[in-house]
Amino acid sequence: MKVSKQIDAVLLSHSDLGHLGAYPYARNHLGMTCPVYSTVPVVNMGKMCMYDLYQSRTNELEFKTFTLEDVDNAFDKITPLRYSQPFSLPGKCQGITITAYAAAHTVGGTIWKIKQDTDEIVYAVDFNHRKEYHLDGTVLHSGGVVLDSLTRPSLLITDAYNSQVVHPARKDRYAAMFDTMLTSLNKGGSVLLPTDSSARVLELAYLLDQHWSQNQLNYPLIMLSNTSYHTVHFAKIMLEWMGEELTRKFSQSRENPYEFKYVRLCHKIEDLDNYPGPKIVMASHHSLETGFARELFLRWMTNDPQNTLILTDRSAPGTLARRLYDDWEQQTNKTATTTTVVNNNRTKVLVKPAIAYENTIDLRVYKRVPLEGAELQEYEAAQRAKAEKEAAQAAMLARSKIIMEEDESDVSDMDEGDEDVEGLLTRQFDLYVRDTGKSGGFFKHAHSYRMFPYLEKRKKMDDYGEAIQIEHYMKASELERMEQEKKNLGQGANFGKEDDMQIDLQEPILPGRDETPTKYISSDETFLVRCQLRYVDLEGLSDGRSMKTILPQIAPRKLIIVHGSESSTKDLESACQGIEYFTKEIFTPSVGEVLNVSAATNIYRVKLTDSMVSSLRFSKLDDYELARVVGRIHFPEDLTTPSLDKDTTSGRNSSRV
């Protein structure tokens, strides 16, 4: 809590749980009040991510970490930015400029450049230099060249998560995934792909929809999350943040790529009953710790060995998905060959195969079940008592309000007696009120009150007088066509202003909560997991080999390595230390460690002589003008400030600089 109150600004890089999961809680419960910045898609998709997490946890247990109001309040306070838009920070951070650059990995994913005077910091974690179906590669390394504005920073902060990973070719990975899917489907099994709810799911859903369309497959293809409808809606209106190829196809065909032909959207697990037989389901969350993915895992992977689990993300250590990945990795390393040599002495990485997985796993299962018997009666009695108490309080408030109104009425009656009758008659009422100006005397008389006031509609005016309502002069057919176009406006891509990206769907973001009285229970159970298991890398991150090629081209003066295991961090550090012309100031802080990477400088004050100033040749550098100085410093006996003069003669009390 102490740290959160001291933060001056927050920069959000991606819209997944790992990058902004703690933000609503910190904003509403830890006292964080600083400004927050991100791109527009990170705001929209990040909110969907947190909505899905909240609903997933609420379906399992009494979740009180944060509420939906906390999510709304937190994301409403984010300042949205666009790529390559320099933004000067206000307040305590005045003098600092931030600029967002495309990082790929997720739509709106950001590499941040932070600049103050001549110091530049580049924060580049979780980027992807390779082009994908829905995103172009990061601008950090586009076309094999590092962007000029991101080269040679004072400090580079990057991650070592994939330092020891080498990816097989993308087409080989996708081919292996499709092969595993069809093998399972043809045998009567279903396929579960755990994924996130708003970030990487866009690549996976588009990829599968295109494959189904090209091959005319008939197996149901389902995207299951609590926010699936709204996630796809945001994807439709944010094409300008996606890859050039995607936007080019839309411009040519006017068909939105996220108007899926085969992917069906569901937000309740009961919706799967509408699709009997073998099916493909993309479900949240990829960690298998919560959400529909965990529920389907317990249903399918403990029931039929023909069902297949395809992991698309390694997830965090300690999660169920990471445990399954480690088991798959260990078993495939024993049996599979990972590399082979092809032409021109190039090493090709092979995709590891699927395995028949069978293992016993102990899990804690959370459920929400309806109340029965005595518990239900006790709940209903408590609800009746609560309703009676609220009714009594409401009646008390109503009586108090009536008494207060009567007191105010006495005062207002006396005031009305002084009202000008002629002024009253000039006003417009449906009913004429007579004798309201007559005093009631000593005894109170009932007065007539104004009823049904006539409200005159103001005419809309423009520069030419009364504005013309175009629809009054249009044919009925044309008016219907315009109304239909307005309805269809939200179905296509929107390249307009950021305000147009606000969602406008009649359906609520989250389904209405079941009002049936329920309670939460948990139990420790043992499951025999029997299924086909495979990992296919769909994380959308640069691998270790690529990172070790890109970092020397960035050539930072200092490097900080974060977000990696101990072995991967040491691997990247040693690789950078082994590069001849790379910086040797490399830092690998542990969690909670504070680093001071500021440069130690000494500043001296000297007085330039007129001859020195006239001989200087200035060169422009950004907003500054620089000149190289060669001269001698003199220390006059009668002055406290030394002077710098041209190096013409060497005096006794002088030194050369």
Side-chain angles (χ1 to χ4, degrees), residues 365-606:
V365 180
Y366 299 92
K367 294 180 181 178
R368 189 175 69 181
V369 297
L371 296 179
E372 297 177 349
E375 289 182 333
L376 179 59
Q377 294 176 1
E378 183 180 350
Y379 172 83
E380 291 175 344
Q383 290 298 108
R384 284 195 297 269
K386 182 180 178 181
E388 291 173 358
K389 184 178 179 180
E390 291 177 351
Q393 292 177 348
M396 184 180 299
L397 291 174
R399 286 195 297 270
S400 301
K401 186 176 181 181
I402 291 173
I403 294 173
M404 293 177 64
E405 288 178 348
E406 289 178 351
D407 293 340
E408 292 176 358
S409 177
D410 292 340
V411 177
S412 63
D413 288 343
M414 298 179 65
D415 293 339
E416 286 181 357
D418 299 332
E419 188 171 359
D420 183 13
V421 177
E422 294 182 0
L424 178 66
L425 294 176
T426 59
R427 302 177 188 175
Q428 294 179 345
F429 292 90
D430 285 354
L431 298 180
Y432 171 64
V433 183
R434 65 176 182 175
D435 296 335
T436 56
K438 184 176 180 180
S439 174
F442 180 80
F443 296 99
K444 180 179 177 182
H445 293 277
H447 283 249
S448 300
Y449 291 93
R450 303 167 186 170
M451 299 177 63
F452 310 115
Y454 171 74
L455 300 178
E456 184 177 3
K457 294 183 179 180
R458 292 186 178 181
K459 298 178 180 180
K460 294 182 179 181
M461 309 296 291
D462 56 21
D463 295 339
Y464 302 96
E466 182 180 348
I468 296 176
Q469 301 294 326
I470 300 177
E471 56 269 19
H472 294 171
Y473 302 92
M474 294 179 63
K475 295 180 179 179
S477 58
E478 294 180 353
L479 191 60
E480 291 177 359
R481 180 180 58 81
M482 288 186 63
E483 292 294 330
Q484 187 63 32
E485 288 179 355
K486 289 181 180 179
K487 292 180 181 180
N488 296 334
L489 185 60
Q491 299 179 3
N494 184 348
F495 294 95
K497 300 180 181 179
E498 294 169 5
D499 295 340
D500 297 332
M501 293 187 178
Q502 300 303 318
I503 195 161
D504 186 21
L505 295 181
Q506 294 181 355
E507 184 176 352
I509 294 180
L510 293 178
R513 181 162 182 173
D514 188 1
E515 297 299 330
T516 304
T518 58
K519 67 176 180 179
Y520 295 100
I521 61 173
S522 63
S523 60
D524 295 325
E525 301 182 22
T526 301
F527 296 91
L528 176 61
V529 179
R530 298 170 65 236
C531 65
Q532 299 297 310
L533 177 63
R534 186 168 203 166
Y535 168 71
V536 177
D537 193 311
L538 284 165
E539 296 177 2
L541 298 172
S542 295
D543 61 5
R545 183 167 56 187
S546 302
M547 291 176 61
K548 294 165 187 175
T549 302
I550 295 172
L551 291 182
Q553 298 182 42
I554 301 175
R557 292 181 173 87
K558 295 179 183 179
L559 175 66
I560 294 180
I561 301 174
V562 297
H563 185 217
S565 63
E566 184 177 353
S567 60
S568 61
T569 301
K570 289 183 177 179
D571 176 76
L572 184 58
E573 180 186 14
S574 60
C576 294
Q577 293 282 10
I579 301 174
E580 183 177 359
Y581 298 105
F582 198 78
T583 180
K584 303 307 176 187
E585 294 189 71
I586 302 175
F587 305 91
T588 57
S590 56
V591 176
E593 181 180 352
V594 179
L595 289 179
N596 183 1
V597 293
S598 59
T601 58
N602 296 318
I603 301 176
Y604 301 95
R605 181 179 179 182
V606 296

Side-chain angles (χ1 to χ4, degrees), residues 252-268:
Q252 294 175 351
S253 63
R254 305 309 297 174
E255 292 183 1
N256 195 298
Y258 285 95
E259 285 286 355
F260 292 129
K261 296 180 175 64
Y262 288 86
V263 175
R264 299 293 175 258
L265 307 179
C266 299
H267 61 71
K268 294 186 296 184

Side-chain angles (χ1 to χ4, degrees), residues 272-286:
L272 298 183
D273 297 336
N274 299 326
Y275 306 94
K279 61 183 74 69
I280 303 283
V281 178
M282 299 168 281
S284 63
H285 185 262
H286 61 74

